Amino acid sequence: MKKNKTLSYEFIKGLWEINPIFKQVLGMCPTLAVTVSVMNGLAMALATTFVLVFSSLLISSFRKLIPNQVRIAAFIVVIATFVTIADLVMKAKFPELSKALGPFVPLIVVNCLILGRQEVFASKNNPLRSLLDALGNGAGFLIALVIMGGIREIIGSRTLMGYSVLPNSFEPWLIIILPAGAFLTLGLLMGFANLYVERKKRIELEAGIAKYKAAKNTLDIKLGEK
Amino acid sequence: MEFNSNTNHRLVIASSPHLHSRWSTKQAMWLVVLALLPSLIASVIFFGVYQLLIVTTSVFFSVLTETLIKKIRKKKISIADGSAIITGLLLGLILPPNFSITSTAIGAVFSIAIGKEIFGGLGFNIFNPALVGRAFLQAAFPVAMTTWQKPYYAVDTITSATPLASFKFDKAVTEIQPLILGNIGGSIGETSAVAIIIGGVFLIGIGIVNWRIPVSMIIGIMLISAIFWLVDPLKYASPLFHLFAGGYLFGVFFMATDWVTSPITAKGMWIFGIGIALIVVVIRTFGGLPEGVMYSILIMNAIVPIINRLTTPKIFGADK
């Protein structure tokens, strides 16, 4: 990573520029599996962020001590430690939530988002930058999961955060809270995200062309005057 | 078929294969609409005028969605080719009678938007759009999609359940005659075998539908179900029952034969038809659902590109 990047950039990039779901397309398994409601998505994202932040912090502190050949194994051991903590805390403090998330909390250990951030970022940067990067990625993941959970909860079960938001006359679309609905929602969201990016690029390009033409015109006029 | 626009020119320069069809896309689509009329009439006779409202809603929202998406994508509005109208008609005809109008509209929008336009429009869709819409509705509103209205003129012994459901869950065999006529429970346009066959034979006769897919599907299901039937006639349904019950015939003539989503080679068409028949029999006999025509056609749609690649004739003299 280039050193000239500001600290705030390390955090902000995770929100959109390298958003784990929409841009890196990592951590798809929990995204598709647990986002049947906002609460589930939120809990999953918080657990993942917890693991990500502490693993990043620890691994970037030890980055010079970890031999390159066994780095993946070392990363996994660290990640697994924090996943175990998260899993046990959830089981003790929020047993219902833990039951709702099922095996997906222990499965955070194989979430490629976390291993990916260690491999790409934490093992090459200092702890402060790694912490901000982990927080940013966690926040990006959280935003995506809450959006997914929100859409699926509203359409699939007519509620939002457990409160009824749509009239009873609306028949919930069962498919949206089934696995097929997860793929549909994610696919459409990504489609719209890509559409937005493309639009923005085109607008920037057109603005650039317009600027160039204007500059060329004034130059031509000036040359003509001479 | 776009090739047809070439026939107006005196000299056509194009790479092989040189496919020609008697009909342009536009004409063909309207002839398909004509072929669907008998089924539509039969549905009104057996289930009432309300079914026309369902079909009209479905057509209206299909056309509306197509127009809107073409507008958003800044493409030429292609309503005149009739494909959205046919998708709407087909979707309307495979819904249960007295289905909710709102849900019909949702299904039609989904058919066109996700089933067709998201792939790039007519000619690019992998799956039959009408079946995509129905599969979506089946998963979204499973209860409403399996609530069947008792047809008018129903024979006393027939309940409002579909013949396939009553066979699957109660082992009650429906006579062949009502299956052929259509005074049985089932989707709007798929109960009357006679009406479907009239439309289907018309389409084959004027050369819009290739005979290979219907023939292979009919032979396929008769042979495959005959094997089970001969083993145990009490436990397994007869070949004729398999052929006439449920949405099979409708699938044979109107769904599987969709130009875009069926194979282009003769051999491929046979593989496609027999594959559908096999999956239908497997789902009906061993699956949890009483009917599997929709899923089997969708599954075979998915492997059409592979069938096409494997059955493309080798170029003479070329290396393997």
Side-chain angles (χ1 to χ4, degrees):
Chain A
M1 290 285 135
K2 293 197 178 68
K3 290 281 174 251
N4 55 10
K5 280 178 180 156
T6 61
L7 285 173
S8 59
Y9 171 77
E10 303 292 10
F11 176 75
I12 287 169
K13 69 179 182 194
L15 298 183
W16 174 248
E17 202 176 310
I18 58 158
N19 184 296
I21 302 300
F22 297 122
K23 296 302 182 68
Q24 299 182 60
V25 199
L26 290 177
M28 288 291 110
C29 170
T31 311
L32 293 167
V34 303
T35 53
V36 289
S37 68
V38 175
M39 208 52 219
N40 281 8
L42 198 66
M44 188 68 212
L46 286 177
T48 310
T49 309
F50 164 79
V51 175
L52 181 58
V53 165
F54 284 96
S55 311
S56 282
L57 207 55
L58 206 66
I59 284 164
S60 64
S61 313
F62 289 118
R63 67 186 188 280
K64 284 171 187 149
L65 297 174
I66 299 171
N68 202 32
Q69 292 86 339
V70 293
R71 65 183 194 284
I72 301 287
F75 295 165
I76 290 290
V77 170
V78 173
I79 295 166
T81 312
F82 288 109
V83 170
T84 312
I85 296 172
D87 189 27
L88 291 179
V89 167
M90 266 188 135
K91 268 193 186 131
K93 297 285 174 194
F94 312 100
E96 272 171 27
L97 210 53
S98 171
K99 218 171 259 170
L101 294 180
F104 292 101
V105 176
L107 277 177
I108 294 175
V109 78
V110 286
N111 191 325
C112 42
L113 164 65
I114 295 174
L115 195 61
R117 287 332 285 169
Q118 311 312 328
E119 175 77 9
V120 172
F121 202 89
S123 58
K124 292 170 189 158
N125 288 279
N126 65 35
L128 181 61
R129 277 177 187 272
S130 301
L131 175 70
L132 288 168
D133 173 76
L135 280 171
N137 272 281
F141 190 63
L142 186 125
I143 293 169
L145 256 64
V146 167
I147 293 175
M148 281 274 291
I151 293 173
R152 292 181 68 193
E153 195 179 343
I154 291 176
I155 303 178
S157 42
R158 220 196 275 145
T159 58
L160 190 64
M161 295 288 284
Y163 297 104
S164 191
V165 286
L166 285 176
N168 283 348
S169 55
F170 177 83
E171 200 179 340
W173 304 7
L174 203 64
I175 187 173
I176 298 295
I177 49 172
L178 297 175
F183 282 99
L184 275 175
T185 317
L186 183 65
L188 287 175
L189 276 179
M190 271 188 173
F192 284 121
N194 288 341
L195 197 72
Y196 169 74
V197 171
E198 246 171 53
R199 277 254 155 105
K200 217 170 134 192
K201 259 190 209 158
R202 203 191 306 145
I203 288 168
E204 273 168 17
L205 192 72
E206 274 163 10
I209 291 171
K211 221 174 170 184
Y212 166 78
K213 273 186 181 161
K216 194 169 175 281
N217 269 348
T218 48
L219 197 68
D220 284 348
I221 291 165
K222 269 183 191 167
L223 285 174
E225 278 170 356
K226 275 182 187 172
Chain B
M1 297 207 160
E2 293 298 327
F3 317 103
N4 235 50
S5 55
N6 287 338
T7 49
N8 299 330
H9 303 291
R10 188 134 326 151
L11 178 67
V12 180
I13 302 171
S15 71
S16 59
H18 304 285
L19 268 177
H20 280 283
S21 158
R22 257 186 287 168
W23 314 99
S24 68
T25 310
K26 210 168 162 181
Q27 286 171 313
M29 291 296 178
W30 286 108
L31 288 167
V32 174
V33 173
L34 194 65
L36 284 167
L37 271 184
S39 300
L40 198 60
I41 294 166
S43 75
V44 173
I45 294 172
F46 292 123
F47 299 110
V49 190
Y50 180 79
Q51 317 322 321
L52 282 181
L53 187 62
I54 294 181
V55 176
T56 319
T57 311
S58 173
V59 171
F60 175 75
F61 277 92
S62 297
V63 172
L64 188 73
T65 316
E66 172 132 329
T67 316
L68 280 179
I69 291 179
K70 293 277 182 206
K71 268 223 170 110
I72 292 169
R73 294 179 64 218
K74 300 195 176 79
K75 293 270 157 77
K76 216 179 96 202
I77 308 272
S78 53
I79 296 308
D81 71 17
S83 66
I85 297 171
I86 291 192
T87 301
L89 256 179
L90 288 176
L91 177 70
L93 286 171
I94 52 177
L95 293 174
N98 296 343
F99 193 61
S100 131
I101 293 295
T102 340
S103 308
T104 308
I106 294 168
V109 171
F110 193 88
S111 287
I112 297 290
I114 307 290
K116 194 167 101 183
E117 289 301 329
I118 229 170
F119 292 98
L122 182 65
F124 297 98
N125 47 311
I126 304 168
F127 299 104
N128 188 321
L131 287 178
V132 170
R134 192 188 192 281
F136 175 78
L137 289 174
Q138 175 91 57
F141 314 111
V143 178
M145 282 298 283
T146 46
T147 308
W148 309 102
Q149 187 213 343
K150 193 173 170 173
Y152 306 141
Y153 323 110
V155 188
D156 277 349
T157 52
I158 299 166
T159 60
S160 58
T162 65
L164 280 167
S166 40
F167 182 79
K168 178 143 206 133
F169 303 121
D170 311 322
K171 286 275 166 267
V173 182
T174 312
E175 297 294 317
I176 295 298
Q177 193 213 344
L179 284 177
I180 292 176
L181 267 178
N183 48 346
I184 46 168
S187 298
I188 295 174
E190 66 182 28
T191 59
S192 175
V194 160
I196 295 164
I197 291 171
I198 293 172
V201 169
F202 167 70
L203 283 185
I204 296 175
I206 59 170
I208 283 182
V209 160
N210 190 302
W211 59 272
R212 285 184 186 88
I213 293 173
V215 167
S216 63
M217 279 176 77
I218 292 169
I219 293 178
I221 201 160
M222 298 283 268
L223 287 181
I224 297 163
S225 57
I227 299 170
F228 290 107
W229 188 57
L230 289 174
V231 171
D232 188 351
L234 289 175
K235 199 172 161 202
Y236 300 109
S238 72
L240 277 178
F241 180 78
H242 268 294
L243 180 63
F244 289 119
Y248 195 72
L249 278 176
F250 198 80
V252 163
F253 289 112
F254 297 109
M255 291 297 179
T257 52
D258 177 25
W259 284 349
V260 179
T261 56
S262 61
I264 48 170
T265 59
K267 212 201 274 171
M269 289 177 185
W270 282 94
I271 299 173
F272 182 71
I274 289 170
I276 293 174
L278 180 68
I279 302 173
V280 168
V281 175
V282 167
I283 293 179
R284 282 180 180 177
T285 313
F286 306 107
L289 293 169
E291 174 63 310
V293 172
M294 167 178 76
Y295 295 118
S296 50
I297 295 178
L298 285 173
I299 291 168
M300 290 308 284
N301 278 165
I303 58 173
V304 160
I306 303 172
I307 296 178
N308 276 340
R309 194 176 303 168
L310 291 181
T311 56
T312 309
K314 291 270 180 310
I315 300 165
F316 183 69
D319 285 336
K320 270 184 188 170

mmCIF file of all heavy atoms in Angstrom, chain A residues 110-135:
data_model
loop_
_atom_site.group_PDB
_atom_site.id
_atom_site.type_symbol
_atom_site.label_atom_id
_atom_site.label_comp_id
_atom_site.label_asym_id
_atom_site.label_seq_id
_atom_site.Cartn_x
_atom_site.Cartn_y
_atom_site.Cartn_z
ATOM 1 N N VAL A 110 -13.939 -19.036 8.297
ATOM 2 C CA VAL A 110 -13.550 -19.238 6.900
ATOM 3 C C VAL A 110 -14.083 -18.125 5.994
ATOM 4 O O VAL A 110 -14.055 -18.254 4.781
ATOM 5 C CB VAL A 110 -14.031 -20.604 6.367
ATOM 6 C CG1 VAL A 110 -13.196 -21.703 6.937
ATOM 7 C CG2 VAL A 110 -15.499 -20.815 6.630
ATOM 8 N N ASN A 111 -14.557 -17.041 6.610
ATOM 9 C CA ASN A 111 -15.024 -15.918 5.794
ATOM 10 C C ASN A 111 -13.827 -15.311 5.050
ATOM 11 O O ASN A 111 -12.875 -14.843 5.664
ATOM 12 C CB ASN A 111 -15.659 -14.877 6.704
ATOM 13 C CG ASN A 111 -16.401 -13.806 5.936
ATOM 14 O OD1 ASN A 111 -15.966 -13.428 4.858
ATOM 15 N ND2 ASN A 111 -17.490 -13.323 6.484
ATOM 16 N N CYS A 112 -13.889 -15.334 3.729
ATOM 17 C CA CYS A 112 -12.722 -14.911 2.952
ATOM 18 C C CYS A 112 -12.466 -13.417 3.089
ATOM 19 O O CYS A 112 -11.370 -12.948 2.816
ATOM 20 C CB CYS A 112 -12.866 -15.310 1.494
ATOM 21 S SG CYS A 112 -14.497 -15.047 0.862
ATOM 22 N N LEU A 113 -13.489 -12.678 3.526
ATOM 23 C CA LEU A 113 -13.270 -11.246 3.748
ATOM 24 C C LEU A 113 -12.186 -11.037 4.801
ATOM 25 O O LEU A 113 -11.263 -10.243 4.613
ATOM 26 C CB LEU A 113 -14.587 -10.603 4.200
ATOM 27 C CG LEU A 113 -14.474 -9.223 4.835
ATOM 28 C CD1 LEU A 113 -13.964 -8.211 3.825
ATOM 29 C CD2 LEU A 113 -15.809 -8.783 5.393
ATOM 30 N N ILE A 114 -12.283 -11.801 5.911
ATOM 31 C CA ILE A 114 -11.335 -11.610 7.007
ATOM 32 C C ILE A 114 -9.939 -12.060 6.593
ATOM 33 O O ILE A 114 -8.963 -11.316 6.714
ATOM 34 C CB ILE A 114 -11.833 -12.373 8.256
ATOM 35 C CG1 ILE A 114 -13.144 -11.741 8.709
ATOM 36 C CG2 ILE A 114 -10.797 -12.344 9.355
ATOM 37 C CD1 ILE A 114 -13.820 -12.451 9.831
ATOM 38 N N LEU A 115 -9.839 -13.260 6.051
ATOM 39 C CA LEU A 115 -8.529 -13.751 5.607
ATOM 40 C C LEU A 115 -7.966 -12.841 4.519
ATOM 41 O O LEU A 115 -6.764 -12.552 4.491
ATOM 42 C CB LEU A 115 -8.672 -15.187 5.088
ATOM 43 C CG LEU A 115 -7.364 -15.935 4.933
ATOM 44 C CD1 LEU A 115 -6.662 -16.057 6.267
ATOM 45 C CD2 LEU A 115 -7.613 -17.322 4.348
ATOM 46 N N GLY A 116 -8.858 -12.376 3.644
ATOM 47 C CA GLY A 116 -8.423 -11.480 2.565
ATOM 48 C C GLY A 116 -7.803 -10.208 3.097
ATOM 49 O O GLY A 116 -6.752 -9.775 2.628
ATOM 50 N N ARG A 117 -8.433 -9.594 4.095
ATOM 51 C CA ARG A 117 -7.889 -8.339 4.642
ATOM 52 C C ARG A 117 -6.538 -8.583 5.320
ATOM 53 O O ARG A 117 -5.647 -7.735 5.274
ATOM 54 C CB ARG A 117 -8.855 -7.698 5.640
ATOM 55 C CG ARG A 117 -10.095 -7.051 5.067
ATOM 56 C CD ARG A 117 -9.972 -6.540 3.680
ATOM 57 N NE ARG A 117 -9.208 -5.311 3.546
ATOM 58 C CZ ARG A 117 -8.821 -4.822 2.382
ATOM 59 N NH1 ARG A 117 -9.105 -5.448 1.257
ATOM 60 N NH2 ARG A 117 -8.130 -3.708 2.327
ATOM 61 N N GLN A 118 -6.394 -9.765 5.981
ATOM 62 C CA GLN A 118 -5.103 -10.062 6.625
ATOM 63 C C GLN A 118 -4.023 -10.189 5.558
ATOM 64 O O GLN A 118 -2.947 -9.619 5.671
ATOM 65 C CB GLN A 118 -5.167 -11.366 7.440
ATOM 66 C CG GLN A 118 -6.340 -11.507 8.381
ATOM 67 C CD GLN A 118 -6.568 -10.284 9.236
ATOM 68 O OE1 GLN A 118 -5.623 -9.590 9.599
ATOM 69 N NE2 GLN A 118 -7.815 -10.006 9.539
ATOM 70 N N GLU A 119 -4.333 -10.943 4.522
ATOM 71 C CA GLU A 119 -3.347 -11.227 3.477
ATOM 72 C C GLU A 119 -2.986 -9.958 2.707
ATOM 73 O O GLU A 119 -1.831 -9.677 2.449
ATOM 74 C CB GLU A 119 -3.946 -12.282 2.525
ATOM 75 C CG GLU A 119 -3.115 -12.622 1.318
ATOM 76 C CD GLU A 119 -1.947 -13.530 1.656
ATOM 77 O OE1 GLU A 119 -1.893 -14.033 2.797
ATOM 78 O OE2 GLU A 119 -1.087 -13.705 0.780
ATOM 79 N N VAL A 120 -3.998 -9.175 2.357
ATOM 80 C CA VAL A 120 -3.754 -8.014 1.507
ATOM 81 C C VAL A 120 -3.284 -6.812 2.303
ATOM 82 O O VAL A 120 -2.446 -6.045 1.843
ATOM 83 C CB VAL A 120 -5.058 -7.659 0.719
ATOM 84 C CG1 VAL A 120 -4.904 -6.361 -0.022
ATOM 85 C CG2 VAL A 120 -5.402 -8.781 -0.223
ATOM 86 N N PHE A 121 -3.830 -6.637 3.501
ATOM 87 C CA PHE A 121 -3.568 -5.374 4.181
ATOM 88 C C PHE A 121 -2.806 -5.516 5.503
ATOM 89 O O PHE A 121 -1.714 -4.985 5.650
ATOM 90 C CB PHE A 121 -4.883 -4.628 4.418
ATOM 91 C CG PHE A 121 -4.694 -3.162 4.611
ATOM 92 C CD1 PHE A 121 -4.707 -2.290 3.530
ATOM 93 C CD2 PHE A 121 -4.451 -2.635 5.879
ATOM 94 C CE1 PHE A 121 -4.506 -0.938 3.705
ATOM 95 C CE2 PHE A 121 -4.250 -1.281 6.053
ATOM 96 C CZ PHE A 121 -4.282 -0.432 4.964
ATOM 97 N N ALA A 122 -3.391 -6.282 6.444
ATOM 98 C CA ALA A 122 -2.825 -6.272 7.799
ATOM 99 C C ALA A 122 -1.389 -6.792 7.835
ATOM 100 O O ALA A 122 -0.576 -6.314 8.622
ATOM 101 C CB ALA A 122 -3.703 -7.099 8.729
ATOM 102 N N SER A 123 -1.082 -7.757 6.969
ATOM 103 C CA SER A 123 0.269 -8.318 7.010
ATOM 104 C C SER A 123 1.287 -7.397 6.371
ATOM 105 O O SER A 123 2.470 -7.718 6.328
ATOM 106 C CB SER A 123 0.278 -9.684 6.322
ATOM 107 O OG SER A 123 -0.159 -9.535 5.001
ATOM 108 N N LYS A 124 0.853 -6.256 5.824
ATOM 109 C CA LYS A 124 1.795 -5.355 5.161
ATOM 110 C C LYS A 124 1.770 -3.953 5.733
ATOM 111 O O LYS A 124 2.512 -3.082 5.271
ATOM 112 C CB LYS A 124 1.461 -5.281 3.660
ATOM 113 C CG LYS A 124 1.721 -6.577 2.941
ATOM 114 C CD LYS A 124 1.155 -6.528 1.553
ATOM 115 C CE LYS A 124 1.225 -7.894 0.910
ATOM 116 N NZ LYS A 124 0.263 -8.030 -0.161
ATOM 117 N N ASN A 125 0.860 -3.681 6.666
ATOM 118 C CA ASN A 125 0.723 -2.315 7.167
ATOM 119 C C ASN A 125 0.805 -2.284 8.682
ATOM 120 O O ASN A 125 0.647 -3.299 9.351
ATOM 121 C CB ASN A 125 -0.610 -1.718 6.713
ATOM 122 C CG ASN A 125 -0.587 -1.411 5.234
ATOM 123 O OD1 ASN A 125 -0.065 -0.391 4.799
ATOM 124 N ND2 ASN A 125 -1.145 -2.319 4.458
ATOM 125 N N ASN A 126 1.015 -1.049 9.207
ATOM 126 C CA ASN A 126 1.143 -0.928 10.652
ATOM 127 C C ASN A 126 -0.212 -1.081 11.343
ATOM 128 O O ASN A 126 -1.260 -0.975 10.697
ATOM 129 C CB ASN A 126 1.832 0.389 11.023
ATOM 130 C CG ASN A 126 0.994 1.583 10.630
ATOM 131 O OD1 ASN A 126 -0.231 1.540 10.692
ATOM 132 N ND2 ASN A 126 1.663 2.648 10.202
ATOM 133 N N PRO A 127 -0.206 -1.354 12.649
ATOM 134 C CA PRO A 127 -1.465 -1.655 13.353
ATOM 135 C C PRO A 127 -2.518 -0.561 13.232
ATOM 136 O O PRO A 127 -3.706 -0.868 13.075
ATOM 137 C CB PRO A 127 -1.013 -1.812 14.805
ATOM 138 C CG PRO A 127 0.401 -2.236 14.725
ATOM 139 C CD PRO A 127 0.967 -1.563 13.518
ATOM 140 N N LEU A 128 -2.128 0.719 13.256
ATOM 141 C CA LEU A 128 -3.128 1.782 13.200
ATOM 142 C C LEU A 128 -3.881 1.739 11.875
ATOM 143 O O LEU A 128 -5.122 1.753 11.814
ATOM 144 C CB LEU A 128 -2.449 3.142 13.397
ATOM 145 C CG LEU A 128 -3.407 4.328 13.383
ATOM 146 C CD1 LEU A 128 -4.423 4.210 14.519
ATOM 147 C CD2 LEU A 128 -2.642 5.647 13.487
ATOM 148 N N ARG A 129 -3.128 1.662 10.771
ATOM 149 C CA ARG A 129 -3.764 1.589 9.453
ATOM 150 C C ARG A 129 -4.606 0.330 9.330
ATOM 151 O O ARG A 129 -5.711 0.351 8.773
ATOM 152 C CB ARG A 129 -2.694 1.602 8.355
ATOM 153 C CG ARG A 129 -2.231 2.990 8.027
ATOM 154 C CD ARG A 129 -1.128 3.019 6.995
ATOM 155 N NE ARG A 129 -0.616 4.372 6.861
ATOM 156 C CZ ARG A 129 -1.120 5.268 6.026
ATOM 157 N NH1 ARG A 129 -2.115 4.941 5.244
ATOM 158 N NH2 ARG A 129 -0.629 6.494 5.968
ATOM 159 N N SER A 130 -4.094 -0.780 9.859
ATOM 160 C CA SER A 130 -4.836 -2.045 9.789
ATOM 161 C C SER A 130 -6.138 -1.950 10.553
ATOM 162 O O SER A 130 -7.176 -2.445 10.115
ATOM 163 C CB SER A 130 -4.003 -3.185 10.347
ATOM 164 O OG SER A 130 -2.815 -3.291 9.621
ATOM 165 N N LEU A 131 -6.088 -1.280 11.705
ATOM 166 C CA LEU A 131 -7.299 -1.121 12.504
ATOM 167 C C LEU A 131 -8.344 -0.332 11.729
ATOM 168 O O LEU A 131 -9.515 -0.723 11.652
ATOM 169 C CB LEU A 131 -6.941 -0.404 13.816
ATOM 170 C CG LEU A 131 -8.122 -0.052 14.720
ATOM 171 C CD1 LEU A 131 -8.718 -1.307 15.315
ATOM 172 C CD2 LEU A 131 -7.698 0.900 15.823
ATOM 173 N N LEU A 132 -7.888 0.792 11.116
ATOM 174 C CA LEU A 132 -8.834 1.619 10.371
ATOM 175 C C LEU A 132 -9.380 0.859 9.162
ATOM 176 O O LEU A 132 -10.582 0.926 8.852
ATOM 177 C CB LEU A 132 -8.141 2.911 9.914
ATOM 178 C CG LEU A 132 -7.862 3.886 11.054
ATOM 179 C CD1 LEU A 132 -6.929 4.990 10.597
ATOM 180 C CD2 LEU A 132 -9.171 4.471 11.582
ATOM 181 N N ASP A 133 -8.501 0.126 8.505
ATOM 182 C CA ASP A 133 -8.935 -0.674 7.347
ATOM 183 C C ASP A 133 -9.973 -1.700 7.772
ATOM 184 O O ASP A 133 -11.006 -1.869 7.120
ATOM 185 C CB ASP A 133 -7.711 -1.365 6.749
ATOM 186 C CG ASP A 133 -8.085 -2.339 5.654
ATOM 187 O OD1 ASP A 133 -8.402 -1.861 4.554
ATOM 188 O OD2 ASP A 133 -8.086 -3.560 5.921
ATOM 189 N N ALA A 134 -9.715 -2.367 8.914
ATOM 190 C CA ALA A 134 -10.649 -3.385 9.391
ATOM 191 C C ALA A 134 -11.981 -2.749 9.760
ATOM 192 O O ALA A 134 -13.051 -3.269 9.424
ATOM 193 C CB ALA A 134 -10.061 -4.119 10.593
ATOM 194 N N LEU A 135 -11.937 -1.598 10.422
ATOM 195 C CA LEU A 135 -13.171 -0.914 10.807
ATOM 196 C C LEU A 135 -13.958 -0.497 9.558
ATOM 197 O O LEU A 135 -15.176 -0.653 9.491
ATOM 198 C CB LEU A 135 -12.850 0.318 11.657
ATOM 199 C CG LEU A 135 -12.555 0.042 13.133
ATOM 200 C CD1 LEU A 135 -12.048 1.308 13.810
ATOM 201 C CD2 LEU A 135 -13.794 -0.478 13.836
#
